[in-house]
Amino acid sequence: MALSASALSPLNRISSGINANGWNKALFRASHTTNFSLLFKKRGIGFRNGNGIIAAASSSVIEGFADISQKETPLRVYIWPDNKKPKVCILGGGFGGLYTALRLESLLWADDKRPQVLLVDQSERFVFKPMLYELLSGEVDAWEIAPRFSELLANTGIQFFQDKVKMLHPADHLGVNGSMGSRSGGTVVLESGLLIEYDWLVLALGAEAKLDIVPGAAEFAFPFSTLEDACKVDNKLKELERRKFGKDSLIRVAVVGCGYSGVELAATVSERLQERGLVQAINANATILPTAPPGNREAALKVLSSRKVQLLLGYFVRCIQKESDLEGFAMPPEAGGFQDTVVEHGSEKYILELQPAERGLQSQILEADLVLWTVGSKPPLSQLEPYDKPHALPLNGRGQAETDETLRVKGHPRIFALGDSSALRDMKGRVLPATAQVAFQQADFTGWNLWAAINDRPLLPFRFQNLGEMMTLGRNDAALSPSFIEGLTLEGPVGHAARKIAYLIRLPTDEHRVKVGISWLTKSAVDSVASIQSTLSKVISGS
């Protein structure tokens, strides 16, 4: 949820490292020195009372602001604490953005080179996305995998704004508006009306669920990529569990997509519902997890089969409709047993029309109480470009920024992109997958290369090292295939424990790691005692 415009005013902005006297000095410097005013006049920005700015169309740095001012969106400038030190703005607080900021904080800097780091994210919490599934199973608490940025950054010099990015105005185009030696890299406009001038920019905005692929998906399907998504799905499942309690009818859940996210969701939900539910997983490919190691795929098939998950492979969803919208609709003959069935008016079920993607299959009609969508994603970069300069950044067809091997955006020496925002290619020319593992490693390199760029040192080329792949399959089940031991797959409780340890090590700060580690050990001890008591109770009752 974005902060209001007043909450981000330079007079009362979030700041853990600057006291009131520091702000008075900063504002005095901003409104009483001619250099600051001239800086913005040269770029076509009107300066007003030292507290805000209005845009003009003549600026090469901030072109397009005239359109914003015509829509009466007030703009205010963000005042950095020290105008002489490098200013690094990081957009996005996921694995790429947060871990880059923490990497910058951990490096050694000369006093005059240590950058001021500002992190912007539309959520107040960092989300450890690979463990969102454990929220549905009740294995973890929200604070463990979604701590607040204010807590994670409390003992650092990193500033955090909860806001949404509205527009980018890069000014470091090679041969156009500057060179490698130019001081300013450009500006960022936030939805609250705050304008941030940066020296270096990091694009780590992640990706949003793409629900406009199929008619009805945006209205009726639940994505599963954010904390809010997980909470909505959990609440919906609780509602269905209450409604169906004590009844013979099953809770029907359709999972669209059988990549890692879809398979992990199907396994988690089927375990949660047990005999009360029916999970149907739909995939256009003829197999699940087509890019996964064979060991992970086999372990997943074994678990899904044991939990009676129905796999509908070789199908794609053509449309999703609510039953109440289909009053009097008769199922087609190829639906298989549903011919001449008329949908009841007013129910809360959904109809999925499946189209065969493989030869030899027939169209199907599915009925579901809940539709979970795990297919497709879209980076938001293409939505942030100025209306009059739609190609300010080199984007590929998916909306990812094309970068060189040092993770700098091509043609923009002061902008780095990583994670879902980057279209970095491997040695074979393939775009690296948008996984947490890739973002982890890119964050380390981005932090180091920012240090190198600020200190006029050579930048390092990024080389991805595949450490293996992991997936959860339930409360005490997982599959892990390390890349350094060919053919090895850890399954069941062993894989589950190894996965949790690996993710515990990857949590963002030492303090949070300790808190979560103690919490997990405590829960494990309680579960073990409960299991022993249950076993003893069965033995005693049996005797």
Side-chain angles (χ1 to χ4, degrees):
M1 193 170 93
L3 292 176
S4 65
S6 60
L8 285 174
S9 168
L11 288 169
N12 58 4
R13 69 183 183 91
I14 302 171
S15 174
S16 60
I18 303 177
N19 56 26
N21 291 332
W23 273 118
N24 290 335
K25 291 178 182 178
L27 290 174
F28 178 88
R29 187 167 62 245
S31 57
H32 290 80
T33 60
T34 57
N35 290 340
F36 190 87
S37 300
L38 287 173
L39 172 66
F40 288 97
K41 287 179 181 178
K42 288 178 180 178
R43 290 181 179 148
I45 309 174
F47 193 74
R48 183 176 60 211
N49 298 328
N51 293 325
I53 57 172
I54 56 177
S58 61
S59 167
S60 61
V61 176
I62 320 176
E63 286 188 40
F65 279 14
D67 181 62
I68 298 175
S69 60
Q70 288 172 5
K71 296 179 182 178
E72 298 182 353
T73 301
L75 293 176
R76 296 161 294 104
V77 66
Y78 170 75
I79 303 173
W80 294 87
D82 191 333
N83 201 42
K84 294 182 180 179
K85 291 185 176 181
K87 309 173 186 68
V88 177
C89 181
I90 301 176
L91 304 181
F95 291 119
L98 175 63
Y99 285 62
T100 295
L102 294 174
R103 176 64 167 156
L104 286 171
E105 183 78 6
S106 69
L107 295 171
L108 296 177
W109 297 88
D111 289 340
D112 61 332
K113 295 286 188 178
R114 175 172 287 277
Q116 305 162 93
V117 180
L118 176 62
L119 178 65
V120 180
D121 194 271
Q122 61 184 335
S123 173
E124 67 171 349
R125 294 175 181 268
F126 162 75
V127 181
F128 201 94
K129 290 187 176 182
M131 300 198 73
L132 279 176
Y133 312 95
E134 278 82 345
L135 282 178
L136 298 184
S137 65
E139 190 175 349
V140 302
D141 296 322
W143 70 267
E144 296 170 345
I145 63 166
R148 288 183 172 85
F149 285 108
S150 58
E151 298 171 3
L152 295 175
L153 304 178
N155 298 320
T156 71
I158 302 165
Q159 302 300 310
F160 171 70
F161 278 174
Q162 184 186 346
D163 208 330
K164 191 172 182 179
V165 184
K166 184 174 184 179
M167 199 171 295
L168 302 179
H169 295 274
D172 59 349
H173 310 65
L174 286 175
V176 179
N177 289 331
S179 64
M180 287 290 291
S182 63
R183 176 62 176 168
S184 176
T187 54
V188 172
V189 180
L190 306 183
E191 281 201 345
S192 63
L194 192 67
L195 181 145
I196 302 169
E197 186 177 21
Y198 62 83
D199 297 327
W200 306 91
L201 182 68
V202 177
L203 301 175
L205 290 166
E208 304 168 349
K210 190 173 178 62
L211 295 172
D212 56 358
I213 304 174
V214 171
E219 294 85 359
F220 306 127
F222 285 71
F224 197 84
S225 62
T226 68
L227 178 63
E228 290 75 18
D229 293 340
C231 291
K232 288 179 181 178
V233 172
D234 184 50
N235 290 334
K236 182 64 176 179
L237 286 171
K238 289 177 180 176
E239 176 191 335
L240 292 170
E241 287 166 340
R242 288 193 298 267
R243 187 191 307 165
K244 302 278 188 175
F245 182 76
K247 298 182 179 179
D248 293 334
S249 57
L250 296 175
I251 300 172
R252 293 175 174 268
V253 178
V255 179
V256 182
C258 288
Y260 270 112
S261 183
V263 169
E264 289 176 298
L265 261 180
T268 302
V269 173
S270 62
E271 181 186 52
R272 171 171 170 165
L273 297 178
Q274 297 182 6
E275 299 301 323
R276 296 172 297 168
L278 172 64
V279 177
Q280 296 172 300
I282 307 157
N283 199 38
N285 201 291
T287 182
I288 68 170
L289 303 171
T291 62
N296 278 14
R297 188 182 308 115
E298 293 169 8
L301 284 170
K302 187 192 309 179
V303 168
L304 295 179
S305 175
S306 67
R307 294 179 190 162
K308 300 180 180 179
V309 174
Q310 291 186 4
L311 296 177
L312 298 170
L313 305 179
Y315 289 94
F316 61 85
V317 178
R318 185 174 180 180
C319 69
I320 304 173
Q321 292 180 281
K322 199 172 183 179
E323 279 197 346
S324 57
D325 296 333
L326 296 173
E327 185 177 11
F329 173 76
M331 301 297 180
E334 63 268 26
F338 287 92
Q339 187 175 1
D340 299 328
T341 300
V342 178
V343 177
E344 296 179 1
H345 178 73
S347 64
E348 294 187 6
K349 294 186 181 296
Y350 304 97
I351 300 298
L352 289 80
E353 182 179 345
L354 306 188
Q355 192 76 15
E358 301 283 339
R359 290 184 178 180
L361 300 175
Q362 292 184 334
S363 300
Q364 292 198 43
I365 296 293
L366 293 187
E367 184 184 86
D369 299 295
L370 174 63
V371 181
L372 301 178
W373 192 267
T374 68
V375 179
S377 62
K378 54 180 179 180
L381 282 181
S382 59
Q383 305 168 23
L384 307 179
E385 297 182 316
Y387 76 101
D388 58 340
K389 299 179 80 174
H391 304 293
L393 298 176
L395 305 181
N396 66 3
R398 286 198 63 226
Q400 298 170 302
E402 293 283 357
T403 61
D404 62 22
E405 60 181 3
T406 66
L407 297 173
R408 288 190 303 187
V409 176
K410 293 180 179 179
H412 294 270
R414 290 183 174 269
I415 302 179
F416 291 80
L418 65 160
D420 292 292
S421 295
S422 170
L424 182 65
R425 300 178 183 275
D426 60 18
M427 301 298 290
K428 297 181 179 180
R430 297 172 298 192
V431 176
L432 290 174
T435 63
Q437 183 181 180
V438 172
F440 282 140
Q441 296 183 29
Q442 288 181 336
D444 284 339
F445 272 78
T446 302
W448 175 262
N449 281 344
L450 276 167
W451 179 94
I454 291 171
N455 288 281
D456 297 321
R457 305 287 285 274
L459 276 62
L460 296 177
F462 175 74
R463 295 290 182 266
F464 172 60
Q465 294 182 332
N466 185 7
L467 303 177
E469 298 183 18
M470 301 182 291
M471 63 186 304
T472 182
L473 295 170
R475 283 188 63 91
N476 200 34
D477 207 340
L480 187 155
S481 296
S483 62
F484 46 86
I485 305 178
E486 187 175 355
L488 174 65
T489 299
L490 303 178
E491 303 178 41
V494 175
H496 178 266
R499 177 178 176 273
K500 290 193 75 172
I501 291 172
Y503 281 151
L504 180 64
I505 295 171
R506 277 298 190 178
L507 290 176
T509 65
D510 291 337
E511 184 179 359
H512 190 63
R513 262 179 238 122
V514 171
K515 291 180 181 178
V516 173
I518 293 173
S519 177
W520 287 357
L521 283 174
T522 302
K523 290 176 183 177
S524 179
V526 171
D527 290 343
S528 297
V529 171
S531 178
I532 292 173
Q533 289 177 338
S534 177
T535 302
L536 290 175
S537 177
K538 290 179 180 178
V539 171
I540 294 173
S541 62
S543 60

